[in-house]
Amino acid sequence: MQEYEVKRGNTSTLEERIKTGFPDIFGVKPTVKDGHYMISYGSMSRLEVWAGEKNKTLMMDTETDATILSMPDEQADPIILDTNKKFRTYLDFVTCFTTKERVKRAKKAAEKEE
């Protein structure tokens, strides 16, 4: 499970971005259970997303599809690359941070924990 910080000022619309990001980016409508949104896409057999405490963080849990990983590289690579690209785009959209900003914040948080 991963936790991603949501950019300040964007917490009030987090739930809406979580919902709209699935069909807009992955082209899949999520199933909803107990406030958790779930889809299956590409090399992920399960992507589960929900808002963290006070909508300040995005909680995410994923499972990799073993059948994709067992395919020959020339078949699996395009699926994996597409999945990773859409996953990063979804994170950018929902957290309102770019990948570069998320990495920088994660490094800063790790330094504080040491």
Side-chain angles (χ1 to χ4, degrees):
M1 183 173 66
Q2 292 288 323
E3 184 174 18
Y4 299 94
E5 189 177 348
V6 175
K7 196 173 211 174
R8 190 182 340 189
N10 295 284
T11 57
S12 62
T13 57
L14 176 61
E15 195 80 24
E16 186 61 31
R17 285 194 313 280
I18 289 172
K19 283 188 245 180
T20 60
F22 286 116
D24 291 352
I25 295 166
F26 293 103
V28 177
K29 188 174 178 169
T31 58
V32 184
K33 184 178 179 185
D34 300 326
H36 291 215
Y37 298 85
M38 292 171 271
I39 66 164
S40 176
Y41 182 86
S43 62
M44 293 183 291
S45 60
R46 182 179 60 86
L47 170 60
E48 184 175 350
V49 181
W50 64 98
E53 189 178 332
K54 297 181 183 177
N55 284 357
K56 291 184 178 184
T57 61
L58 177 74
M59 306 300 290
M60 190 173 279
D61 198 15
T62 60
E63 283 181 20
T64 304
D65 187 342
T67 59
I68 301 293
L69 298 179
S70 64
M71 291 177 162
D73 287 349
E74 59 273 357
Q75 289 177 325
D77 285 352
I79 297 168
I80 293 168
L81 291 173
D82 174 64
T83 303
N84 287 342
K85 182 180 179 187
K86 289 187 177 180
F87 179 80
R88 286 190 309 276
T89 301
Y90 181 76
L91 274 176
D92 291 352
F93 174 72
V94 177
T95 65
C96 299
F97 284 115
T98 64
T99 302
K100 187 176 181 178
E101 290 170 324
R102 280 195 313 277
V103 168
K104 190 175 178 180
R105 289 178 156 286
K107 284 181 181 177
K108 210 180 264 190
E111 287 173 5
K112 284 182 182 178
E113 289 178 6
E114 290 179 352

